[in-house]
Amino acid sequence: MSDNKAEAAEPQLNWDEMRPQIIKLVLELGPLVVFFLANAKGEDILAANPMLSGWFGGHAIIFATAVFMAAMAISLLVAWLVLKKVAVMPLVTGIVVMVFGGLTLWLQDDTFIKIKPTITNLLFSGTLLGGLLFKQSLLKYVFGDVYKLLPRGWYLLTLRWGLFFLALAIANEVVWRGANAYFPNDAKAAGDVWVSFKVWGVMPLTVLFSVLQLPTLTKYAPPAEPPHAPPIVIES
């Protein structure tokens, strides 16, 4: 009897609730992975296609930026078609990618795509931390339709994500500027360091940070409802 009760009390995975979150995660991670692969294979692709090499100045990272912009546009379109909406953060990220990616292609200067994460993260950080100054936990308006928390929980998550975005902005500046200084005569090596950090550094850190918020979600969840998995935000 006790075993039956334990089984009945054990929470069951609700795939109907999880499916949209999994789709969102894949759509947000996809453009980053495509960016990394395009940069890694960019030199070979450009060497095999002289016309493309002329368009992108023979630079793999500038070619990868164009591919990244296309992947981001496709990701947003698929999100709209499949999920019937586009979340605020991916939409803002997509707009910034188009602006700074466009400048990168126009001026043939990868500095613009490298500072894009700095601008995006500062924008998110300033919005979240600025909202707290006016006693508004703005993260609630982004995830409030998925996650249910008491006001204190929303405050803590908003504060932590705001500081986390600020830390990512600082880290991005340190990495790309540091790589340029370490490889002053090798733009390809400097670009590879930054792209690797962006894809294989920022992504795992963001997922880890999200998972570490689980105790807060558990502690401040309304008593009548079980806690959900922590929100995961991926900056492209």
Side-chain angles (χ1 to χ4, degrees):
M1 181 67 70
S2 59
D3 291 340
N4 292 336
K5 290 182 178 180
E7 291 178 1
E10 183 178 350
Q12 300 294 317
L13 290 176
N14 189 329
W15 289 107
D16 289 335
E17 288 185 2
M18 292 184 64
R19 189 179 297 112
Q21 298 304 311
I22 294 173
I23 293 174
K24 285 173 59 179
L25 182 60
V26 171
L27 290 176
E28 291 174 11
L29 291 178
L32 286 173
V33 175
V34 168
F35 183 40
F36 175 81
L37 294 176
N39 181 71
K41 300 295 184 180
E43 283 193 340
D44 294 338
I45 294 173
L46 294 179
N49 296 272
M51 184 173 66
L52 285 180
S53 182
W55 289 353
F56 301 111
H59 299 298
I61 193 170
I62 295 179
F63 164 72
T65 297
V67 175
F68 184 35
M69 293 170 65
M72 179 63 68
I74 293 172
S75 173
L76 294 174
L77 178 61
V78 172
W80 174 258
L81 294 175
V82 175
L83 302 175
K84 307 305 181 183
K85 66 177 181 179
V86 178
V88 173
M89 289 186 176
L91 179 60
V92 172
T93 299
I95 292 172
V96 178
V97 165
M98 296 305 166
V99 171
F100 284 85
L103 289 172
T104 297
L105 299 180
W106 180 33
L107 300 174
Q108 297 286 292
D109 187 348
D110 63 8
T111 300
F112 294 99
I113 197 63
K114 288 179 178 178
I115 66 173
K116 188 278 301 178
T118 302
I119 301 300
T120 304
N121 285 315
L122 286 178
L123 179 61
F124 289 153
S125 177
T127 300
L128 294 178
L129 297 179
L132 292 181
L133 294 177
F134 295 94
K135 299 182 179 180
Q136 294 292 323
S137 299
L138 297 179
L139 203 64
K140 178 180 180 180
Y141 297 98
V142 180
F143 294 109
D145 59 338
V146 179
Y147 308 103
K148 305 302 179 184
L149 291 174
L150 299 174
R152 177 64 178 172
W154 284 119
Y155 171 82
L156 290 175
L157 282 185
T158 301
L159 175 63
R160 292 171 185 173
W161 275 107
L163 294 175
F164 181 70
F165 283 130
L166 178 60
L168 288 182
I170 295 172
N172 185 70
E173 287 296 296
V174 170
V175 169
W176 83 261
R177 293 181 186 276
N180 283 3
Y182 191 79
F183 299 104
N185 301 315
D186 192 342
K188 176 65 167 62
D192 288 347
V193 168
W194 175 75
V195 172
S196 296
F197 164 75
K198 179 175 172 58
V199 177
W200 307 118
V202 173
M203 277 199 307
L205 285 174
T206 303
V207 172
L208 176 61
F209 180 81
S210 302
V211 172
L212 290 176
Q213 306 316 304
L214 183 57
T216 299
L217 293 173
T218 303
K219 182 176 181 180
Y220 294 101
E225 298 182 12
H228 294 272
I232 298 178
V233 181
I234 303 296
E235 189 275 318
S236 296

